[in-house]
Amino acid sequence: MKILKYIFLLVLLTAITVTVFLATQKGDFTIERSRVIKAPKVALFNYINEYKNWEEFSSWIVDNAETKLQLAEITAGPNASFSWINNETEGDMKTLGITATDEIRQKINYDGSLIDSKMIFKDTIGGTKVTWQTKGKMSFYLKIYTALNGGADKIIGTIYEKTLLNLDKILVFETTTFTIKVNGVVKKAETFYIKQSFTSEIGKITKNARVVIPKLTEFCEANGLAMNGKPFVIYHTYDIVNGLARISICVPINKEIFTSSGSDILTGKLEPFDAVKTTITGDLSHKDEAIKKTEQYIAAEKLNAETSWSHIEVFVTTKQDAKSPSKWVTELYYPLKEKIIPVAKPVYRPQAVETPQPKATQPEQDSSEF
C-alpha cells in the first residue's frame, strides 16, 4: 500500500509541477502560413472579407458539424464580426480594418486565446499569394493542449494550413464556374433613378458600388421612394489603357423626382434605347471576357454602336442574395445608335400622253371608170 501511496504522490506532484510550469509560461506565439490560391486577387479578397463565407472554409468550423455560427449585423469590412460555438471550441472574430484589396486586420478570440491576425494578398504567377500572420497569447487550456500535442506552431499552424487549402478548393471552383451569354438586341425601357457620379479605378468599381448602393437605398427609404428594379452602374467612359472609368452608381425608382441643390445624390432618367444584352452568371472577374464577346457580336452583326457613352451594368444577383460567386448574375447593356429609317424620294413618272390618231378616210373614186 505504501508503494501505491508513493506512486500516487509522485504522480500528483508531477502534475502539480507541470501545471505550475505551464501556468507561469507567457504563452506568446507568432505563426505564419502562406499559400498561392488560384483565384484573382480582388475576387479572393472579397470572398474572405465577407464573414458569411467563413463557414465554408474556416477549418475549425468546417471540421466540426456541431458548430453554430452567429453573424453580426455588419458582415464585411471594418467592424464586421461573427462568433461560433461547438462541442470543442468557441470564440469570435472581428475585422479591425482593411487596406484596399491588399490586407485584412482582425482580432480573434479563440477559446480564450487572444490573437491579432493579418491576412496579406499579393498578385503572383498562378493566382494570389495569401499570407496569414498571427500573434497571440494562449489561454491556459491551449497551453496544456499544445504542450501535449507538438506545440503552438504545429497545432495552430495546421488550422491555418487547412483553412487556406479549403479556400483554394472553393475559390478554384467558384471563380472558374461561370457562363457568358450574349442575349442579342433588346429594348431597354425608360428608367428614372437616383445616383452618385465620380471617376473610379476600374478595379475598384465593385467595391465602390458596395459602399454607395446602401446609401442610395437608405435615401429611398427615408424619402418614401419605391425602388423599381436592381441597382446598376452607368459607364459614361471606360478607359482600359489608364484603368479609369467615369461612372454613375444608380438605384432605379418608380417616378421622377428632384433633389435639393448641393445634394451629393442626384437624379436622372434613361430614355428607352436599343442595346446588346449580355448576361454573366458567375464572378465579375470575367467581365472583360464578356465585354470582348459583346464587342465581337456587335461587329459580326454589323450593328451601329453608340459611342457617346459606354454601357450599363445591372447587378441582378449579388452576394447579398447568394454567397457563392458562381451564382451571381450581372447583365451588361451596350447601347446602339437609333436606326435611321430613310425617307423614300418620290420617283418622277411622266404621265402618258395620248397621241391623236388620224381619222380613217375612204379612197376617192375615179369617175372615169363609169
Side-chain angles (χ1 to χ4, degrees):
M1 291 294 293
K2 287 184 178 181
I3 293 175
L4 291 175
K5 186 185 293 185
Y6 290 142
I7 291 173
F8 173 76
L9 288 173
L10 181 61
V11 171
L12 181 61
L13 288 171
T14 301
I16 293 172
T17 302
V18 171
T19 300
V20 171
F21 173 77
L22 291 173
T24 56
Q25 299 303 300
K26 291 183 179 180
D28 296 335
F29 64 87
T30 300
I31 296 170
E32 179 177 311
R33 292 292 189 274
S34 295
R35 186 178 182 88
V36 174
I37 295 177
K38 305 177 191 69
K41 179 181 170 185
V42 174
L44 178 58
F45 177 92
N46 289 335
Y47 191 77
I48 294 177
N49 188 41
E50 173 56 72
Y51 281 140
K52 291 179 181 178
N53 298 322
W54 277 66
E55 64 179 327
E56 301 290 333
F57 66 85
S58 57
S59 64
W60 66 90
I61 297 174
V62 174
D63 293 346
N64 193 315
E66 303 297 322
T67 301
K68 295 181 180 179
L69 203 66
Q70 181 65 47
L71 293 167
E73 184 175 349
I74 302 174
T75 60
N79 298 316
S81 63
F82 75 95
S83 60
W84 77 90
I85 184 170
N86 56 42
N87 54 4
E88 294 179 358
T89 66
E90 64 179 287
D92 57 76
M93 178 179 285
K94 182 177 182 178
T95 299
L96 303 180
I98 61 175
T99 302
T101 55
D102 300 322
E103 185 177 285
I104 301 174
R105 298 178 298 280
Q106 301 159 314
K107 190 77 173 182
I108 306 172
N109 174 6
Y110 185 88
D111 228 17
S113 299
L114 300 179
I115 305 170
D116 292 315
S117 170
K118 182 189 295 185
M119 302 187 82
I120 302 168
F121 304 81
K122 289 186 177 181
D123 287 315
T124 189
I125 297 173
T128 305
K129 183 179 180 180
V130 183
T131 301
W132 196 353
Q133 300 174 344
T134 58
K135 293 181 180 180
K137 192 174 184 67
M138 289 183 284
S139 64
F140 178 68
Y141 166 77
L142 192 56
K143 287 180 186 178
I144 296 175
Y145 184 79
T146 55
L148 298 175
N149 291 277
D153 188 77
K154 178 182 177 182
I155 300 303
I156 301 175
T158 299
I159 292 174
Y160 295 171
E161 289 168 5
K162 286 183 177 180
T163 298
L164 293 175
L165 178 60
N166 290 340
L167 264 173
D168 198 6
K169 290 178 179 178
I170 291 171
L171 265 295
V172 165
F173 174 82
E174 290 297 337
T175 58
T176 58
T177 302
F178 71 98
T179 59
I180 296 173
K181 180 180 180 181
V182 180
N183 305 95
V185 178
V186 299
K187 174 70 77 174
K188 196 76 173 72
E190 175 186 82
T191 306
F192 297 109
Y193 58 86
I194 57 174
K195 66 177 181 178
Q196 281 194 335
S197 302
F198 48 89
T199 298
S200 170
E201 293 179 33
I202 291 175
K204 294 182 179 179
I205 290 175
T206 302
K207 177 185 174 184
N208 289 331
R210 290 195 183 107
V211 175
V212 173
I213 289 172
K215 292 181 181 179
L216 298 177
T217 303
E218 288 173 9
F219 181 88
C220 288
E221 293 172 352
N223 292 277
L225 295 173
M227 290 178 58
N228 189 30
K230 296 292 186 176
F232 60 92
V233 178
I234 300 174
Y235 287 79
H236 305 288
T237 63
Y238 196 79
D239 185 354
I240 298 177
V241 175
N242 296 305
L244 296 174
R246 177 69 184 169
I247 62 171
S248 292
I249 298 175
C250 312
V251 164
I253 54 178
N254 63 346
K255 61 182 179 180
E256 186 175 17
I257 65 165
F258 300 95
T259 55
S260 58
S261 177
S263 172
D264 62 341
I265 295 179
L266 303 176
T267 62
K269 176 186 175 182
L270 277 174
E271 299 291 347
F273 65 94
D274 289 333
V276 174
K277 175 184 175 182
T278 298
T279 302
I280 308 169
T281 302
D283 188 79
L284 263 179
S285 59
H286 304 289
K287 184 167 70 173
D288 288 346
E289 185 176 343
I291 290 173
K292 183 179 179 181
K293 286 188 175 183
T294 305
E295 291 173 343
Q296 289 173 343
Y297 178 88
I298 291 172
E301 297 296 320
K302 298 181 181 180
L303 300 173
N304 199 3
E306 176 61 66
T307 56
S308 61
W309 56 288
S310 182
H311 64 282
I312 290 178
E313 186 175 292
V314 183
F315 304 117
V316 179
T317 304
T318 68
K319 70 176 184 177
Q320 303 301 323
D321 311 302
K323 62 184 179 181
S324 301
S326 61
K327 296 178 181 178
W328 298 347
V329 178
T330 308
E331 294 175 349
L332 305 180
Y333 293 88
Y334 272 74
L336 301 174
K337 287 185 178 179
E338 188 175 351
K339 291 181 180 179
I340 300 174
I341 301 175
V343 178
K345 293 182 180 180
V347 178
Y348 175 70
R349 299 181 185 275
Q351 281 188 330
V353 178
E354 186 175 342
T355 304
Q357 298 294 323
K359 293 181 179 179
T361 58
Q362 295 292 330
E364 293 183 1
Q365 292 183 353
D366 189 349
S367 57
S368 61
E369 293 182 359
F370 295 95

